[in-house]
């Protein structure tokens, strides 16, 4: 949202005021916070204090290494919902240490400090030790009033997208906005802001945080997260679940600006010093990713969306996958497991699934888990619609009638998850499905949330637009965890916002079946990883359209080297034999590779639950000091030691960047000395891609390639890569929770292993050591 016309002027219809000085500053009664009076003019004499708007800037610390800043014009508004900051400490006062001196004031929280000098110009400086991270300087704290006919490029006037409520309509726009600008240093790069499908580096972009069902090929996003981090060692979360507009060096090119409608803006600066440290603090504050079950890492096979299917079709798919030695772990039923026009009534369509309990039992006998599609809407034809409407379980219009529209399901209503009774009612239907044999739910939609409505708890509709998805997915995840137990619950969600990382897994939405869409899908996943999300998937082969065999095969390799892997399409199936025999071979090879890697991947997932470090890591996150890695959005690190570069071309040509050190080709054993970092152009057949292992790595590999959930210590292989003399500890944890630590020692080309700890105390056969790579001489 742009308020200015160049450096000197505001846009027509925009009136802007800025906090000009620190007129006074006080500590809170507890000595843990600061309150700053920032008038919109430098006060030269008493008369200047009259007829003058003032901005109040309050500073506190909800957690070590985090400083919250709240900018307020009028303080008399009602309290509105913010994000669930589950890691906040110290109560309302927080944990900061405030100090006011004759020259200014400082708030400290661990290694992070915020300091202000008295007088003008206004200057709020954030430091990590002696290092300046960013600052809020002159004309950076703004209050703006916008005329009804003002043109604000890049904005959603009134903090809503036209059509976000009803097609062709919008609510009256809010007349006032609060904005904040933070400095960008030379060479400083910005990442995050949710699952965004454009360039990974956000500099130069206008970003509107507003959940939308826009596919993967637009500027819209399903998962909007008002949090960014930079390569200077800090992150910033705007604590506002509604619309937040960002100008990332795109209005004031040396600053990041974020703005919200209304009278108050609250944001939190989060210390590093590394990007991984920032994500650690951010996910500690907003919610750690939940532990996901080992079975969820295996291959998911779907019916696809509008294809015709019944139990015979499903059985044929499962039989053929088994006959061709392509192990699957989860079978997914998309929307038409229910009868048309009735989504959701949570009832199997009896015309095609007359015996759902028997069918689910038969799938379980095949050692498969079952996932079914749901959404938070109730179609008017559903027998549940009138029940929900009469009970007050559906969102209402201001006149008290049920909000409805015909987009998606005819006459559908929207479940009001701010009503505890509505949530319990919805969960009750999910429990019934679980009792039938359903193991997981694909929680689709949750983005098109209207703003011209009334919520049961009185929440601001603008803030509920993005926050709704958290309530929806939390309701589903909680009932799964209640029935299945902690660590065995998993959703397959499309929409999210801040805190959504605690409710995995998420997938990338509706892509098309092209190499370009495959690349944009990866960019979205990497951007989401920079926003605190650890477990991510995508529709292998693309959703819309029928991929040609080359796209399908290359996407399959990429998909099976993602944390979670699913074949799913729109109007066509994604079973490998629908393409060619080579597609079958690609699926077999990469499925079995992933299953062999389960001890390694499962460990990476457990690390995510402890630290928030994602399983799939952007190069800028994994190698923060490497300028060559800073802009890369076509490859990633999988766990600590595997570098993956998907192939986005039919002829197999691919460019891959190898950071400093020696890297070993997983398939050939070739060792590449990357020096200080090197780009390579390679050509790959469909059964390989650039998959490199970091120097000195020890990769634990399972003894089975037919399932993801087994005893990883039985038949364990430790693949040892070339590296210098020394020891490395590898921890292997089984799905049952047994752990063992192995110390692998290299000396003069010899390798040995010692088991130093086992949670069960049991005696196991020592793991097999496999020296791999041709760099051992």
């Amino acid at each position: 949202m742009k308020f200015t016309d160049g450096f000197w002027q505001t846009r027509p219809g925009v009136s802007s005021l800025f906090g000009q000085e620190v007129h006074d500053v006080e500590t809170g009664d507890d000595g843990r916070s600061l309150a700053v009076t920032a008038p919109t003019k430098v006060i030269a004499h008493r008369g200047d204090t009259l007829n003058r708007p003032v901005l109040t800037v309050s500073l506190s610390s909800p957690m070590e290494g985090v400083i919250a800043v709240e900018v307020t014009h009028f303080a008399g508004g009602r309290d509105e919902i913010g994000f669930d900051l589950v890691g906040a400490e110290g109560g309302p006062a927080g944990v900061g240490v405030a100090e006011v001196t004759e020259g200014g004031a400082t708030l400290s929280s661990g290694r992070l400090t915020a300091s202000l000098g008295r007088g003008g110009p206004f200057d709020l400086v954030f430091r990590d030790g002696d290092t300046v991270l960013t600052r809020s300087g002159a004309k950076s704290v703004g209050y703006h009033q916008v005329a009804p006919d003002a043109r604000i490029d890049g904005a959603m006037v009134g903090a809503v997208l036209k059509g976000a409520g009803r097609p062709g309509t919008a609510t009256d726009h809010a007349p006032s906005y609060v904005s904040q600008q933070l400095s960008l240093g030379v060479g400083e790069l910005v990442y995050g802001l949710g699952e965004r499908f454009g360039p990974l580096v956000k500099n130069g972009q206008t970003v509107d945080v507003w959940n939308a069902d826009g596919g993967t090929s637009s500027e819209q996003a399903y998962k909007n997260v008002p949090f960014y981090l930079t390569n200077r060692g800090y992150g910033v979360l705007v604590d506002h679940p509604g619309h937040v507009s960002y100008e990332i060096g795109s209005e004031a090119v040396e600053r990041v600006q974020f703005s919200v409608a209304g009278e108050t803006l609250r944001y939190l600066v989060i210390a590093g010093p590394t990007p991984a440290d920032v994500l650690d603090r951010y996910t500690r504050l907003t919610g750690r990713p939940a532990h996901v079950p080992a079975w969820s890492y295996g291959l998911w096979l779907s019916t696809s969306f509008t294809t015709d299917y019944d139990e015979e079709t499903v059985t044929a798919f499962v039989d053929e996958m088994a006959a061709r030695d392509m192990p699957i772990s989860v079978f997914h039923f998309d929307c038409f497991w229910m009868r048309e026009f009735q989504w959701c009534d949570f009832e199997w369509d009896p015309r095609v699934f007359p015996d759902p309990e028997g069918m689910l039992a038969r799938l379980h006998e095949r050692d498969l888990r079952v996932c079914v599609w749901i959404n938070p809407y109730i179609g008017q034809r559903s027998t549940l619609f009138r029940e929900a409407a009469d009970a007050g379980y559906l969102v209402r219009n201001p006149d008290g009638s049920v909000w409805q529209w015909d987009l998606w399901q005819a006459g559908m209503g929207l479940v009001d998850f701010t009503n505890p009774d509505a949530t319990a009612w919805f969960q009750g239907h999910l429990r019934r499905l679980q009792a039938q044999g359903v193991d997981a739910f694909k929680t689709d939609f949750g983005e098109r949330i209207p703003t011209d409505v009334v919520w049961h708890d009185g929440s601001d509709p603008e803030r509920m637009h993005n926050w709704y998805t958290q309530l929806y997915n939390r309701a589903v995840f909680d009932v799964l965890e209640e029935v299945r137990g902690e660590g065995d619950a998993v959703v397959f969600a499309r929409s999210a916002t801040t805190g959504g990382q605690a409710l995995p897994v998420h997938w990338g939405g509706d892509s098309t079946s092209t190499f370009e869409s495959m690349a944009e899908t990866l960019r979205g996943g990497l951007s989401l990883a920079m926003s605190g999300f650890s477990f991510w998937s995508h529709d292998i082969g693309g959703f819309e359209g029928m991929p040609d065999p080359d796209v399908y095969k290359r996407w399959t390799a990429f998909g099976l080297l993602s944390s979670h892997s699913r074949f799913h399409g729109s109007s066509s199936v994604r079973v490998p034999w629908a393409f060619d025999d080579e597609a079958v071979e690609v699926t077999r090879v990469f499925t079995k590779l992933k299953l062999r890697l389960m001890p390694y991947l499962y460990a990476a997932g457990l690390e995510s639950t402890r630290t928030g470090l994602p399983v799939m890591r952007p190069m800028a996150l994994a190698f923060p000091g490497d300028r060559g890695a800073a802009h890369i959005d076509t490859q990633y690190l999988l766990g600590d030691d595997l570098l993956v570069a998907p192939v986005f071309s039919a002829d197999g040509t691919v460019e891959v960047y190898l950071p400093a050190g020696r890297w070993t080709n997983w398939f050939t054993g070739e060792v590449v000395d990357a020096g200080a970092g090197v780009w390579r152009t390679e050509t790959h057949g469909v059964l390989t891609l650039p998959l490199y292992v970091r120097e000195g790595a020890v990769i634990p590999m399972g003894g089975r390639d037919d399932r993801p959930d087994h005893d990883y210590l039985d038949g364990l292989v430790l693949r040892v890569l070339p590296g210098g003399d020394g020891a490395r500890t590898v921890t292997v944890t089984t799905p049952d929770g047994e752990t063992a630590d192995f110390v692998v020692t290299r000396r003069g080309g010899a390798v040995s292993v010692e088991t130093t700890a086992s949670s069960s105390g049991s005696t196991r056969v020592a793991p097999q050591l496999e020296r791999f790579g041709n760099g051992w001489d």
Side-chain angles (χ1 to χ4, degrees), residues 561 563 600-601 603-605 607-608 613-617 622-623 636-644 694 699 728:
L561 288 170
S563 85
Y600 172 83
L601 295 173
E607 181 179 11
S608 292
L613 191 63
V615 175
M616 297 173 66
R617 303 167 192 173
F623 303 95
Y636 53 93
L637 204 68
L638 184 63
D640 288 334
D641 294 313
L642 294 179
L643 189 152
V644 183
R694 192 198 296 262
I699 306 296
R728 178 163 178 169

PDB file of all heavy atoms in Angstrom, residues 561 563 600-601 603-605 607-608 613-617 622-623 636-644 694 699 728:
ATOM      1  N   LEU A 561      11.405 -36.347  -3.127  1.00  0.00           N
ATOM      2  CA  LEU A 561      12.483 -35.774  -2.335  1.00  0.00           C
ATOM      3  C   LEU A 561      11.988 -34.502  -1.640  1.00  0.00           C
ATOM      4  O   LEU A 561      12.744 -33.567  -1.404  1.00  0.00           O
ATOM      5  CB  LEU A 561      13.716 -35.511  -3.195  1.00  0.00           C
ATOM      6  CG  LEU A 561      14.453 -36.788  -3.622  1.00  0.00           C
ATOM      7  CD1 LEU A 561      15.513 -36.485  -4.666  1.00  0.00           C
ATOM      8  CD2 LEU A 561      15.084 -37.500  -2.415  1.00  0.00           C
ATOM      9  N   SER A 563       9.388 -33.315   1.810  1.00  0.00           N
ATOM     10  CA  SER A 563       9.084 -33.941   3.109  1.00  0.00           C
ATOM     11  C   SER A 563       7.879 -34.865   2.979  1.00  0.00           C
ATOM     12  O   SER A 563       7.865 -35.960   3.533  1.00  0.00           O
ATOM     13  CB  SER A 563       8.855 -32.875   4.186  1.00  0.00           C
ATOM     14  OG  SER A 563       7.539 -32.385   4.212  1.00  0.00           O
ATOM     15  N   TYR A 600      16.867 -40.920   8.190  1.00  0.00           N
ATOM     16  CA  TYR A 600      17.407 -39.569   8.014  1.00  0.00           C
ATOM     17  C   TYR A 600      16.283 -38.535   8.002  1.00  0.00           C
ATOM     18  O   TYR A 600      16.342 -37.509   8.695  1.00  0.00           O
ATOM     19  CB  TYR A 600      18.208 -39.537   6.710  1.00  0.00           C
ATOM     20  CG  TYR A 600      18.688 -38.175   6.273  1.00  0.00           C
ATOM     21  CD1 TYR A 600      19.856 -37.633   6.801  1.00  0.00           C
ATOM     22  CD2 TYR A 600      17.992 -37.442   5.316  1.00  0.00           C
ATOM     23  CE1 TYR A 600      20.313 -36.394   6.389  1.00  0.00           C
ATOM     24  CE2 TYR A 600      18.439 -36.204   4.901  1.00  0.00           C
ATOM     25  CZ  TYR A 600      19.595 -35.675   5.434  1.00  0.00           C
ATOM     26  OH  TYR A 600      20.044 -34.442   5.031  1.00  0.00           O
ATOM     27  N   LEU A 601      15.227 -38.780   7.215  1.00  0.00           N
ATOM     28  CA  LEU A 601      14.125 -37.823   7.096  1.00  0.00           C
ATOM     29  C   LEU A 601      13.348 -37.708   8.400  1.00  0.00           C
ATOM     30  O   LEU A 601      12.931 -36.604   8.791  1.00  0.00           O
ATOM     31  CB  LEU A 601      13.196 -38.241   5.957  1.00  0.00           C
ATOM     32  CG  LEU A 601      13.799 -38.208   4.552  1.00  0.00           C
ATOM     33  CD1 LEU A 601      12.824 -38.798   3.540  1.00  0.00           C
ATOM     34  CD2 LEU A 601      14.186 -36.786   4.162  1.00  0.00           C
ATOM     35  N   ALA A 603      14.468 -38.109  11.372  1.00  0.00           N
ATOM     36  CA  ALA A 603      15.294 -37.321  12.293  1.00  0.00           C
ATOM     37  C   ALA A 603      15.182 -35.835  11.980  1.00  0.00           C
ATOM     38  O   ALA A 603      15.121 -34.996  12.885  1.00  0.00           O
ATOM     39  CB  ALA A 603      16.750 -37.783  12.223  1.00  0.00           C
ATOM     40  N   ALA A 604      15.153 -35.503  10.682  1.00  0.00           N
ATOM     41  CA  ALA A 604      14.989 -34.100  10.302  1.00  0.00           C
ATOM     42  C   ALA A 604      13.639 -33.565  10.756  1.00  0.00           C
ATOM     43  O   ALA A 604      13.519 -32.416  11.190  1.00  0.00           O
ATOM     44  CB  ALA A 604      15.135 -33.946   8.787  1.00  0.00           C
ATOM     45  N   GLY A 605      12.603 -34.405  10.664  1.00  0.00           N
ATOM     46  CA  GLY A 605      11.292 -33.994  11.137  1.00  0.00           C
ATOM     47  C   GLY A 605      11.257 -33.778  12.636  1.00  0.00           C
ATOM     48  O   GLY A 605      10.644 -32.819  13.130  1.00  0.00           O
ATOM     49  N   GLU A 607      13.791 -32.890  14.449  1.00  0.00           N
ATOM     50  CA  GLU A 607      14.511 -31.643  14.703  1.00  0.00           C
ATOM     51  C   GLU A 607      13.593 -30.450  14.483  1.00  0.00           C
ATOM     52  O   GLU A 607      13.648 -29.457  15.219  1.00  0.00           O
ATOM     53  CB  GLU A 607      15.743 -31.545  13.799  1.00  0.00           C
ATOM     54  CG  GLU A 607      16.550 -30.279  14.040  1.00  0.00           C
ATOM     55  CD  GLU A 607      17.785 -30.177  13.171  1.00  0.00           C
ATOM     56  OE1 GLU A 607      17.919 -30.980  12.226  1.00  0.00           O
ATOM     57  OE2 GLU A 607      18.615 -29.286  13.428  1.00  0.00           O
ATOM     58  N   SER A 608      12.720 -30.535  13.473  1.00  0.00           N
ATOM     59  CA  SER A 608      11.778 -29.443  13.214  1.00  0.00           C
ATOM     60  C   SER A 608      10.874 -29.196  14.409  1.00  0.00           C
ATOM     61  O   SER A 608      10.568 -28.053  14.746  1.00  0.00           O
ATOM     62  CB  SER A 608      10.921 -29.772  11.986  1.00  0.00           C
ATOM     63  OG  SER A 608      11.691 -29.780  10.803  1.00  0.00           O
ATOM     64  N   LEU A 613      13.304 -25.706  12.562  1.00  0.00           N
ATOM     65  CA  LEU A 613      14.081 -25.737  11.330  1.00  0.00           C
ATOM     66  C   LEU A 613      13.382 -26.656  10.329  1.00  0.00           C
ATOM     67  O   LEU A 613      13.160 -27.834  10.620  1.00  0.00           O
ATOM     68  CB  LEU A 613      15.493 -26.251  11.621  1.00  0.00           C
ATOM     69  CG  LEU A 613      16.535 -26.115  10.507  1.00  0.00           C
ATOM     70  CD1 LEU A 613      16.782 -24.656  10.169  1.00  0.00           C
ATOM     71  CD2 LEU A 613      17.842 -26.791  10.923  1.00  0.00           C
ATOM     72  N   PRO A 614      12.994 -26.156   9.158  1.00  0.00           N
ATOM     73  CA  PRO A 614      12.201 -26.976   8.238  1.00  0.00           C
ATOM     74  C   PRO A 614      12.978 -28.144   7.668  1.00  0.00           C
ATOM     75  O   PRO A 614      14.217 -28.122   7.599  1.00  0.00           O
ATOM     76  CB  PRO A 614      11.797 -25.983   7.138  1.00  0.00           C
ATOM     77  CG  PRO A 614      12.811 -24.893   7.207  1.00  0.00           C
ATOM     78  CD  PRO A 614      13.214 -24.795   8.642  1.00  0.00           C
ATOM     79  N   VAL A 615      12.247 -29.172   7.236  1.00  0.00           N
ATOM     80  CA  VAL A 615      12.882 -30.332   6.614  1.00  0.00           C
ATOM     81  C   VAL A 615      13.498 -29.932   5.280  1.00  0.00           C
ATOM     82  O   VAL A 615      14.618 -30.337   4.956  1.00  0.00           O
ATOM     83  CB  VAL A 615      11.849 -31.461   6.427  1.00  0.00           C
ATOM     84  CG1 VAL A 615      12.471 -32.639   5.669  1.00  0.00           C
ATOM     85  CG2 VAL A 615      11.331 -31.928   7.779  1.00  0.00           C
ATOM     86  N   MET A 616      12.763 -29.141   4.487  1.00  0.00           N
ATOM     87  CA  MET A 616      13.279 -28.630   3.211  1.00  0.00           C
ATOM     88  C   MET A 616      13.752 -27.198   3.435  1.00  0.00           C
ATOM     89  O   MET A 616      12.948 -26.314   3.744  1.00  0.00           O
ATOM     90  CB  MET A 616      12.174 -28.686   2.144  1.00  0.00           C
ATOM     91  CG  MET A 616      11.691 -30.086   1.839  1.00  0.00           C
ATOM     92  SD  MET A 616      10.256 -30.111   0.729  1.00  0.00           S
ATOM     93  CE  MET A 616      10.984 -29.448  -0.775  1.00  0.00           C
ATOM     94  N   ARG A 617      15.045 -26.964   3.276  1.00  0.00           N
ATOM     95  CA  ARG A 617      15.639 -25.694   3.683  1.00  0.00           C
ATOM     96  C   ARG A 617      16.130 -24.898   2.481  1.00  0.00           C
ATOM     97  O   ARG A 617      16.959 -25.396   1.710  1.00  0.00           O
ATOM     98  CB  ARG A 617      16.791 -25.955   4.649  1.00  0.00           C
ATOM     99  CG  ARG A 617      16.335 -26.740   5.864  1.00  0.00           C
ATOM    100  CD  ARG A 617      17.457 -27.300   6.691  1.00  0.00           C
ATOM    101  NE  ARG A 617      16.945 -28.268   7.658  1.00  0.00           N
ATOM    102  CZ  ARG A 617      17.685 -29.031   8.437  1.00  0.00           C
ATOM    103  NH1 ARG A 617      19.014 -28.945   8.369  1.00  0.00           N
ATOM    104  NH2 ARG A 617      17.129 -29.891   9.267  1.00  0.00           N
ATOM    105  N   ALA A 622      20.132 -22.419   4.807  1.00  0.00           N
ATOM    106  CA  ALA A 622      21.150 -23.422   5.125  1.00  0.00           C
ATOM    107  C   ALA A 622      22.574 -22.866   5.052  1.00  0.00           C
ATOM    108  O   ALA A 622      23.465 -23.348   5.759  1.00  0.00           O
ATOM    109  CB  ALA A 622      21.010 -24.611   4.179  1.00  0.00           C
ATOM    110  N   PHE A 623      22.781 -21.868   4.196  1.00  0.00           N
ATOM    111  CA  PHE A 623      24.125 -21.303   3.988  1.00  0.00           C
ATOM    112  C   PHE A 623      24.046 -19.781   4.069  1.00  0.00           C
ATOM    113  O   PHE A 623      24.221 -19.074   3.071  1.00  0.00           O
ATOM    114  CB  PHE A 623      24.685 -21.754   2.638  1.00  0.00           C
ATOM    115  CG  PHE A 623      24.734 -23.241   2.476  1.00  0.00           C
ATOM    116  CD1 PHE A 623      23.705 -23.922   1.846  1.00  0.00           C
ATOM    117  CD2 PHE A 623      25.799 -23.965   2.977  1.00  0.00           C
ATOM    118  CE1 PHE A 623      23.741 -25.295   1.705  1.00  0.00           C
ATOM    119  CE2 PHE A 623      25.847 -25.345   2.848  1.00  0.00           C
ATOM    120  CZ  PHE A 623      24.814 -26.017   2.221  1.00  0.00           C
ATOM    121  N   TYR A 636      17.381 -26.891  -2.909  1.00  0.00           N
ATOM    122  CA  TYR A 636      17.209 -26.786  -1.466  1.00  0.00           C
ATOM    123  C   TYR A 636      18.046 -27.856  -0.785  1.00  0.00           C
ATOM    124  O   TYR A 636      18.540 -28.794  -1.423  1.00  0.00           O
ATOM    125  CB  TYR A 636      15.731 -26.952  -1.084  1.00  0.00           C
ATOM    126  CG  TYR A 636      15.074 -28.209  -1.632  1.00  0.00           C
ATOM    127  CD1 TYR A 636      15.025 -29.390  -0.887  1.00  0.00           C
ATOM    128  CD2 TYR A 636      14.509 -28.216  -2.913  1.00  0.00           C
ATOM    129  CE1 TYR A 636      14.426 -30.535  -1.406  1.00  0.00           C
ATOM    130  CE2 TYR A 636      13.910 -29.357  -3.432  1.00  0.00           C
ATOM    131  CZ  TYR A 636      13.871 -30.511  -2.675  1.00  0.00           C
ATOM    132  OH  TYR A 636      13.293 -31.648  -3.186  1.00  0.00           O
ATOM    133  N   LEU A 637      18.203 -27.692   0.507  1.00  0.00           N
ATOM    134  CA  LEU A 637      18.838 -28.710   1.330  1.00  0.00           C
ATOM    135  C   LEU A 637      17.723 -29.514   1.989  1.00  0.00           C
ATOM    136  O   LEU A 637      16.813 -28.950   2.592  1.00  0.00           O
ATOM    137  CB  LEU A 637      19.730 -28.064   2.386  1.00  0.00           C
ATOM    138  CG  LEU A 637      20.876 -28.923   2.932  1.00  0.00           C
ATOM    139  CD1 LEU A 637      21.913 -29.175   1.847  1.00  0.00           C
ATOM    140  CD2 LEU A 637      21.536 -28.255   4.139  1.00  0.00           C
ATOM    141  N   LEU A 638      17.792 -30.828   1.867  1.00  0.00           N
ATOM    142  CA  LEU A 638      16.827 -31.731   2.480  1.00  0.00           C
ATOM    143  C   LEU A 638      17.466 -32.294   3.740  1.00  0.00           C
ATOM    144  O   LEU A 638      18.379 -33.114   3.672  1.00  0.00           O
ATOM    145  CB  LEU A 638      16.466 -32.846   1.499  1.00  0.00           C
ATOM    146  CG  LEU A 638      15.397 -33.850   1.936  1.00  0.00           C
ATOM    147  CD1 LEU A 638      14.057 -33.172   2.151  1.00  0.00           C
ATOM    148  CD2 LEU A 638      15.267 -34.968   0.896  1.00  0.00           C
ATOM    149  N   GLY A 639      16.988 -31.841   4.916  1.00  0.00           N
ATOM    150  CA  GLY A 639      17.686 -32.171   6.145  1.00  0.00           C
ATOM    151  C   GLY A 639      19.015 -31.443   6.206  1.00  0.00           C
ATOM    152  O   GLY A 639      19.234 -30.428   5.539  1.00  0.00           O
ATOM    153  N   ASP A 640      19.941 -31.982   6.993  1.00  0.00           N
ATOM    154  CA  ASP A 640      21.224 -31.297   7.201  1.00  0.00           C
ATOM    155  C   ASP A 640      22.198 -31.447   6.039  1.00  0.00           C
ATOM    156  O   ASP A 640      23.037 -30.570   5.816  1.00  0.00           O
ATOM    157  CB  ASP A 640      21.909 -31.846   8.460  1.00  0.00           C
ATOM    158  CG  ASP A 640      21.229 -31.411   9.746  1.00  0.00           C
ATOM    159  OD1 ASP A 640      20.583 -30.344   9.752  1.00  0.00           O
ATOM    160  OD2 ASP A 640      21.332 -32.152  10.741  1.00  0.00           O
ATOM    161  N   ASP A 641      22.117 -32.560   5.286  1.00  0.00           N
ATOM    162  CA  ASP A 641      23.263 -32.927   4.460  1.00  0.00           C
ATOM    163  C   ASP A 641      22.968 -33.247   2.999  1.00  0.00           C
ATOM    164  O   ASP A 641      23.913 -33.451   2.230  1.00  0.00           O
ATOM    165  CB  ASP A 641      23.957 -34.150   5.076  1.00  0.00           C
ATOM    166  CG  ASP A 641      24.573 -33.855   6.424  1.00  0.00           C
ATOM    167  OD1 ASP A 641      25.257 -32.823   6.556  1.00  0.00           O
ATOM    168  OD2 ASP A 641      24.351 -34.646   7.365  1.00  0.00           O
ATOM    169  N   LEU A 642      21.703 -33.327   2.588  1.00  0.00           N
ATOM    170  CA  LEU A 642      21.381 -33.682   1.201  1.00  0.00           C
ATOM    171  C   LEU A 642      20.945 -32.443   0.420  1.00  0.00           C
ATOM    172  O   LEU A 642      20.001 -31.756   0.820  1.00  0.00           O
ATOM    173  CB  LEU A 642      20.271 -34.732   1.153  1.00  0.00           C
ATOM    174  CG  LEU A 642      20.600 -36.113   1.709  1.00  0.00           C
ATOM    175  CD1 LEU A 642      19.383 -37.023   1.609  1.00  0.00           C
ATOM    176  CD2 LEU A 642      21.778 -36.730   0.973  1.00  0.00           C
ATOM    177  N   LEU A 643      21.622 -32.183  -0.672  1.00  0.00           N
ATOM    178  CA  LEU A 643      21.293 -31.052  -1.530  1.00  0.00           C
ATOM    179  C   LEU A 643      20.537 -31.566  -2.750  1.00  0.00           C
ATOM    180  O   LEU A 643      21.014 -32.472  -3.444  1.00  0.00           O
ATOM    181  CB  LEU A 643      22.566 -30.316  -1.951  1.00  0.00           C
ATOM    182  CG  LEU A 643      22.415 -28.983  -2.677  1.00  0.00           C
ATOM    183  CD1 LEU A 643      23.633 -28.089  -2.408  1.00  0.00           C
ATOM    184  CD2 LEU A 643      22.248 -29.157  -4.185  1.00  0.00           C
ATOM    185  N   VAL A 644      19.353 -31.012  -3.012  1.00  0.00           N
ATOM    186  CA  VAL A 644      18.472 -31.476  -4.087  1.00  0.00           C
ATOM    187  C   VAL A 644      18.238 -30.338  -5.075  1.00  0.00           C
ATOM    188  O   VAL A 644      17.860 -29.237  -4.681  1.00  0.00           O
ATOM    189  CB  VAL A 644      17.111 -31.946  -3.531  1.00  0.00           C
ATOM    190  CG1 VAL A 644      16.235 -32.483  -4.658  1.00  0.00           C
ATOM    191  CG2 VAL A 644      17.295 -32.983  -2.437  1.00  0.00           C
ATOM    192  N   ARG A 694      26.773 -33.597   1.597  1.00  0.00           N
ATOM    193  CA  ARG A 694      27.779 -32.720   2.179  1.00  0.00           C
ATOM    194  C   ARG A 694      29.001 -33.513   2.657  1.00  0.00           C
ATOM    195  O   ARG A 694      28.886 -34.651   3.120  1.00  0.00           O
ATOM    196  CB  ARG A 694      27.163 -31.968   3.358  1.00  0.00           C
ATOM    197  CG  ARG A 694      28.001 -30.801   3.878  1.00  0.00           C
ATOM    198  CD  ARG A 694      27.548 -30.425   5.282  1.00  0.00           C
ATOM    199  NE  ARG A 694      26.188 -29.939   5.343  1.00  0.00           N
ATOM    200  CZ  ARG A 694      25.847 -28.647   5.370  1.00  0.00           C
ATOM    201  NH1 ARG A 694      26.778 -27.721   5.273  1.00  0.00           N
ATOM    202  NH2 ARG A 694      24.569 -28.285   5.486  1.00  0.00           N
ATOM    203  N   ILE A 699      24.900 -40.609   6.630  1.00  0.00           N
ATOM    204  CA  ILE A 699      23.477 -40.695   6.325  1.00  0.00           C
ATOM    205  C   ILE A 699      22.930 -42.034   6.823  1.00  0.00           C
ATOM    206  O   ILE A 699      23.319 -43.097   6.317  1.00  0.00           O
ATOM    207  CB  ILE A 699      23.219 -40.565   4.811  1.00  0.00           C
ATOM    208  CG1 ILE A 699      23.866 -39.301   4.249  1.00  0.00           C
ATOM    209  CG2 ILE A 699      21.719 -40.584   4.535  1.00  0.00           C
ATOM    210  CD1 ILE A 699      23.305 -38.009   4.791  1.00  0.00           C
ATOM    211  N   ARG A 728      31.692 -38.043  14.364  1.00  0.00           N
ATOM    212  CA  ARG A 728      30.377 -37.448  14.177  1.00  0.00           C
ATOM    213  C   ARG A 728      29.340 -38.353  14.820  1.00  0.00           C
ATOM    214  O   ARG A 728      29.364 -39.577  14.633  1.00  0.00           O
ATOM    215  CB  ARG A 728      30.066 -37.260  12.693  1.00  0.00           C
ATOM    216  CG  ARG A 728      28.675 -36.673  12.444  1.00  0.00           C
ATOM    217  CD  ARG A 728      28.545 -36.115  11.055  1.00  0.00           C
ATOM    218  NE  ARG A 728      27.212 -35.601  10.799  1.00  0.00           N
ATOM    219  CZ  ARG A 728      26.895 -34.867   9.741  1.00  0.00           C
ATOM    220  NH1 ARG A 728      27.825 -34.563   8.852  1.00  0.00           N
ATOM    221  NH2 ARG A 728      25.663 -34.438   9.570  1.00  0.00           N
TER     222      ARG A 728
END
